[in-house]
Amino acid sequence: MPRVVSLYFPRWPTDRLRRKSGDAAPPSEVPLVLIGRDGRRRVVHAADLAALRAGLRIGMPVTKAQALVPGLAVVDADPRADADGLERLALWALQRISPIVAADPPDGLVIDSTGADHLHGGEATMLTSMVQRFAASGVEARAAIADSWGAAHACARFGGRSTLIIPPGESEAALRDLPISALRLDPGTVAGLRTLGFERIGELASQPRAPLALRFGPQVGRRLDQAMGIAAEPIDPIRAPDLVEVRRAFPEPIGAAETIARYTTKLVTALCEELEARGLGAKRLDLLFHRVDNTRQAIRVGTALPVRDARRLSRLLCDQIEKVDPGFGIEVMTLAATLAEPLAAKQAISSLVEEAEADVSDLVDTLANRVGERSLYRFAPVASDVPERSVARVPALAPEDESTWHGDWPRPPRLLPRPEPIETMALLPDHPPVWFTWRGIRRRVRRADGPERLFEEWWKRDAELSAVRDYFRVEDDGGERFWIFRAGDGEDPETGSHRWYLHGIFG
């Protein structure tokens, strides 16, 4: 069953204007509206959050808006620039999210994530990551995933949550209580349906189709069927102008796995020749299958390093063929290097006595495409005195750098995800605990070393301006060693709560 993601940008035109580099956009606290023309009138075309909070609304005359909000920033709307911005976001999602992505004008994207969500840690992780990435770039986003484009589109805009997952087979139930404007009908049709007393999709879905088609045409029934997943709605994916791509059309549809694998190998060989001619290596490959029922299936594989080894790339793609449903047959296969980087020729061994370097990238690629890219990583040091911020997850084959941890005090090999509170008895301010209780077990301290005082990062949060931690290495009666700390210096309450926590385990 297909799974479709709809990304909705509630304030896309104003968000685009504010994030555009070099644009003389007003500060974020100044209400901003974009204006357009409705006949001879100048009306509000889009408004940011500050303007909406000030009482402005879409479609309001500009003169009234300026009278209500003195100092209002007014900018002429640019629909062409908004559409171009959506296409750039679609290309970004094409490279990082899924092989099938398209713009959903005027304020969204549609993504067919079938077979690609496992690379991002599952549907929930994928949606949350997308919303957070856009928020970090200054673009507010909401995301919903369902079995059809229509259902995902409606839930993203009217679901009331930043991320929403509609389980497979439950689209109809999720749509029943949504307003009829969620069906992507033109405003005139929506107004006519409301005149007849229809407010919710469930009310409309329970009515006979013939009278509705006679009065409003076939569009109402078509949109209902598309939202419920009864009628197919293919997504025409966006393609980058410089995309490295090869294509194979068949005079007769194919469907056998062995046949698909054979032509996949031929496409990979042709693609690698094109990559070599351009001096590139593929880091992400998308194989699209155009079926005879005008729908698309796709598989995506990624590599940790740029690659143009035909045998290796063919094996990665053929391992995913079992996920493809050919339906009544496949008419066209398209293979594209969605993400490619420069790859220069490299001599493996320069002398007879020199040994080849171990190359584990093939193993890393195989595992990453089976369990997901997010599930395969390594830890790298980060320049921070706060222990939980001193490590970061990086890709398994990310290049090494010179960064390391500094300091003479040892660190535990096992650091807890977050410090856990413990009960203790200690002499303040500089003595370690005599005993402590962690996870219901009371331990008597036999040996201790410390304190090591760490100052928190005052430049990140005001709450850390004067905060300190005193760390101790302690050993209990059983010989187990722990890393514990007191929040505060033991005297000044502004430096911390003076509560004790266990942060790591030695050995």
Side-chain angles (χ1 to χ4, degrees), residues 212-485:
L212 294 175
L214 185 62
R215 179 158 184 171
F216 300 103
Q219 188 69 0
V220 174
R222 183 183 300 116
R223 288 303 192 192
L224 278 171
D225 290 342
Q226 289 172 344
M228 304 298 180
I230 300 172
E233 188 175 10
I235 300 171
D236 187 16
I238 191 171
R239 315 310 283 170
D242 57 346
L243 190 67
V244 185
E245 189 175 43
V246 292
R247 185 173 182 269
R248 182 68 179 258
F250 306 104
E252 293 292 337
I254 64 172
E258 296 80 3
T259 307
I260 295 174
R262 183 169 68 254
Y263 283 106
T264 296
T265 303
K266 293 181 178 181
L267 286 173
V268 170
T269 302
L271 184 71
C272 288
E273 292 175 356
E274 182 65 25
L275 289 171
E276 186 174 6
R278 302 190 188 189
L280 300 174
K283 288 196 68 177
R284 185 156 293 138
L285 290 180
D286 292 337
L287 184 56
L288 276 66
F289 304 90
H290 304 252
R291 306 195 314 184
V292 296
D293 59 355
N294 199 29
T295 61
R296 291 179 175 87
Q297 295 272 309
I299 55 178
R300 163 169 284 188
V301 298
T303 60
L305 302 173
V307 175
R308 59 170 177 256
D309 182 348
R311 174 182 289 184
R312 178 170 165 183
L313 294 176
S314 297
R315 187 182 70 253
L316 292 176
L317 287 168
C318 290
D319 286 346
Q320 305 291 328
I321 286 179
E322 61 182 15
K323 300 178 181 178
V324 177
D325 178 13
F328 295 106
I330 296 170
E331 292 182 315
V332 179
M333 289 175 57
T334 304
L335 179 63
T338 311
L339 190 61
E341 295 181 0
L343 178 61
K346 180 181 179 181
Q347 184 172 337
I349 302 177
S350 59
S351 68
L352 295 177
V353 296
E354 185 179 353
E355 295 184 0
E357 296 182 1
D359 183 10
V360 298
S361 60
D362 194 3
L363 174 62
V364 170
D365 293 341
T366 302
L367 294 175
N369 285 285
R370 289 180 180 176
V371 302
E373 296 175 354
R374 291 180 174 270
S375 301
L376 205 64
Y377 57 86
R378 63 180 178 85
F379 289 107
V382 177
S384 176
D385 286 334
V386 180
E388 60 266 30
R389 300 175 186 164
S390 62
V391 294
R393 293 183 180 184
V394 298
L397 296 182
E400 298 282 354
D401 54 28
E402 301 298 327
S403 61
T404 184
W405 292 288
H406 299 284
D408 299 328
W409 289 80
R411 293 289 182 262
R414 181 189 172 192
L415 193 69
L416 300 182
R418 58 182 58 85
E420 297 185 9
I422 57 176
E423 296 179 4
T424 64
M425 184 178 73
L427 297 175
L428 297 179
D430 296 327
H431 291 270
V434 177
W435 56 263
F436 69 92
T437 301
W438 177 54
R439 294 183 178 178
I441 300 177
R442 182 166 175 170
R443 304 172 187 270
R444 182 168 176 264
V445 176
R446 295 294 300 272
R447 297 180 179 86
D449 189 13
E452 175 193 4
R453 177 160 294 179
L454 296 180
F455 293 87
E456 299 198 28
E457 297 170 339
W458 51 267
W459 58 91
K460 290 188 174 181
R461 294 192 308 161
D462 292 341
E464 300 182 25
L465 285 173
S466 57
V468 299
R469 299 179 185 179
D470 284 342
Y471 278 88
F472 294 85
R473 286 182 295 145
V474 300
E475 182 179 326
D476 65 3
D477 288 331
E480 295 183 90
R481 294 183 298 159
F482 304 90
W483 204 38
I484 64 177
F485 74 89

Side-chain angles (χ1 to χ4, degrees), residues 102-166:
D104 189 7
D107 52 15
L109 303 178
V110 58
I111 303 171
D112 188 337
S113 65
T114 310
D117 56 344
H118 73 283
L119 298 175
H120 307 283
E123 292 180 347
T125 304
M126 178 179 65
L127 296 187
T128 302
S129 175
M130 285 192 291
V131 170
Q132 290 176 347
R133 287 188 181 187
F134 283 116
S137 300
V139 178
E140 181 183 352
R142 301 177 194 168
I145 185 169
D147 296 337
S148 66
W149 181 351
H153 182 279
C155 293
R157 287 154 177 77
F158 297 90
R161 294 168 55 183
S162 59
T163 61
L164 185 60
I165 298 176
I166 307 302

Side-chain angles (χ1 to χ4, degrees), residues 428-429 453 468 470 486-492 495 498:
L428 297 179
R453 177 160 294 179
V468 299
D470 284 342
R486 179 185 61 235
D489 61 5
E491 297 178 346
D492 187 355
T495 60
H498 295 165

